[in-house]
Amino acid sequence: MSAASVEGACDPRFAGVRDAFAENFSARGEPGAAVALMVGGKLVCDLWGGHRDAARQTPWARDTLVNFFSVGKAFTALVALRLVERGALDLDAPAHRLWPEFGANGKEGITLRHMLSHQAGLPAIREELPGGAMLDWDRMTAALAAQAPWWPPGTAHGYHVNTYGYLVGELVRRASGRTIGEILRDEIAGPLNADIHIGLPQAEHARCAEFLWPSVLPERPEGALDDVTLMKWNTYWNPPGISGAGWVNEPEWRAAEIPSTNGHGTARGVARLYAALAAGGSIGGVEILSKPMLAAATEEHSFGPDRILERESRFALGFQLPQAERPLGPNAEAFGHFGAGGSLGFCDPVAGVAFGYVTNDMGPRWQNPRNKALLAAIYESLGA
């Protein structure tokens, strides 16, 4: 794919970002994607290219939506943190005060802070659930309420890949009577004019890109599994489809609220939200989080060996923080969240950068050459 095939607009100062994006298609196997960059609150790159379908017949359009997976974890956290600001939620109150059923089997001390920083010990459900169960909110939250922690809460951390959204979302629902997706739409995305969604309305499905999930999926290890192996397997595959395999392009998946995993949006929408965070929590007269709450939300809470990822990970409250192996530019103050396939939303308040990148391909998850090339081009253009 040539640079001429990339659509959209880009400030000449950031021509290197456009070039890197074009090279993702010509040299790095990108099938379809979009990237947006805001600097100092101004949109300086808004680009898209490739195709939104596996057959490569339908071009990606300016308003194409795509499932951005864990990019949505940060948006889920923002909803919860807004309720903390209002006093409807308490970061350090036992969760069972709002969710009585949750207080069973050693979970009496688990707090919202534990959930947001992946320290709750609940990355997986032990009970074997049927395929499609992830679409049933009550079934999933009941299973989590009955589940015993896989490790003593607060003593370690492990990425709550798919359970994070149910845990945080149920506390939000009990505190407010509303869902993560409803509050995101009404209080954050809508006022910001940011095209991001958790629970996509049927009327918007026609804009969705087909996500190109690998056709060959891992097989469950044979025989009885030890607890650690079972925990890791169930994190991704119980219930079958919880990570999106076999479901990601189905209307039921798109319409459901699975806040850890099934957020949809445009790169421009992701960058718009992060532009508010880069500016201290507000932009254009719309405040999504106060400066003190944002400062507290971006402090390191978990760093070190991750019991699920089997490598070091670093989390604030719902945000991923930079690591030497996975930087977000040169400045330590950056924060954001990656998504499966390489999608990424982040901001760098020092440089005034807000960034969104979305793709419909399950590329490398940990070290993704496409988003790395885009990040390098941003800071080279800035002269950093």
Side-chain angles (χ1 to χ4, degrees):
M1 186 172 190
S2 68
S5 299
V6 169
E7 303 292 334
C10 189
D11 185 308
R13 182 186 177 192
F14 295 93
V17 178
R18 184 186 184 99
D19 291 344
F21 186 58
E23 288 171 8
N24 280 350
F25 294 95
S26 64
R28 304 184 190 100
E30 183 81 272
V35 64
L37 173 67
M38 297 183 71
V39 179
K42 179 183 177 182
L43 185 64
V44 296
C45 282
D46 183 16
L47 304 170
W48 58 91
H51 297 87
R52 46 172 281 188
D53 60 330
R56 302 200 178 193
Q57 297 297 310
T58 307
W60 199 283
R62 183 179 187 275
D63 66 347
T64 295
L65 298 169
V66 69
N67 197 137
F68 49 49
F69 295 94
S70 291
V71 171
K73 285 185 171 72
F75 307 154
T76 297
L78 286 173
V79 169
L81 293 168
R82 284 176 66 85
L83 294 183
V84 171
E85 284 193 310
R86 295 176 194 165
L89 282 175
D90 184 328
L91 284 167
D92 297 308
H96 71 80
R97 292 183 185 174
L98 279 174
W99 184 1
E101 306 93 318
F102 186 77
N105 291 325
K107 301 193 300 300
E108 298 85 354
I110 293 178
T111 66
L112 176 59
R113 190 183 299 275
H114 289 138
M115 294 174 180
L116 290 171
S117 57
H118 301 271
Q119 298 184 69
L122 296 168
I125 295 169
R126 187 181 295 271
E127 175 194 356
E128 187 173 343
L129 297 174
M134 68 280 179
L135 305 176
D136 185 338
W137 186 269
D138 291 340
R139 179 75 180 270
M140 293 298 294
T141 55
L144 285 164
Q147 172 70 41
W150 296 85
W151 65 80
T155 64
H157 76 281
Y159 188 34
H160 287 46
V161 179
N162 293 306
T163 58
Y164 167 98
Y166 296 106
L167 293 167
V168 177
E170 184 63 6
L171 283 186
V172 164
R173 189 186 70 82
R174 293 191 179 233
S176 68
R178 303 164 69 200
T179 68
I180 292 284
E182 289 168 346
I183 297 175
L184 177 67
R185 179 193 66 219
D186 296 342
E187 299 186 13
I188 299 175
L192 286 174
N193 194 28
D195 198 357
I196 51 177
H197 313 262
I198 293 176
L200 189 66
Q202 180 69 39
E204 306 293 346
H205 288 202
R207 294 199 282 141
C208 283
E210 180 181 1
F211 197 89
L212 310 182
W213 196 285
S215 58
V216 178
L217 299 175
E219 294 186 4
R220 188 182 190 278
E222 295 182 1
L225 304 183
D226 63 80
D227 247 26
V228 172
T229 304
L230 180 65
M231 175 184 70
K232 292 175 182 176
W233 177 263
N234 284 6
T235 289
Y236 291 97
W237 306 109
N238 183 40
I242 191 171
S243 294
W247 285 91
V248 68
N249 297 312
E250 298 299 322
E252 297 89 347
W253 172 273
R254 291 172 176 163
E257 288 198 24
I258 309 173
S260 302
T261 315
N262 83 330
H264 288 73
T266 63
R268 188 184 319 105
V270 174
R272 175 69 177 170
L273 187 149
Y274 273 102
L277 299 180
S282 64
I283 192 171
V286 178
E287 182 178 272
I288 59 173
L289 212 61
S290 70
K291 286 185 178 180
M293 188 77 256
L294 181 58
T298 54
E299 291 179 355
E300 179 183 294
H301 278 67
S302 304
F303 183 39
D306 187 301
R307 294 203 173 189
I308 297 300
L309 300 178
E310 297 183 309
R311 55 178 166 253
E312 287 193 338
S313 62
R314 186 170 180 243
F315 294 99
L317 293 178
F319 297 101
Q320 290 176 323
L321 298 177
Q323 299 174 233
E325 306 85 355
R326 208 185 199 192
L328 294 170
N331 296 317
E333 295 84 354
F335 59 91
H337 216 292
F338 291 86
S343 291
L344 171 62
F346 89 98
C347 68
D348 175 351
V350 173
V353 162
F355 175 84
Y357 162 68
V358 296
T359 175
N360 66 340
D361 181 51
M362 187 60 78
R365 296 189 179 204
W366 177 245
Q367 298 288 350
N368 187 291
R370 299 168 191 161
N371 60 38
K372 288 176 70 175
L374 294 169
L375 291 176
I378 290 169
Y379 286 97
E380 183 176 348
S381 298
L382 289 168

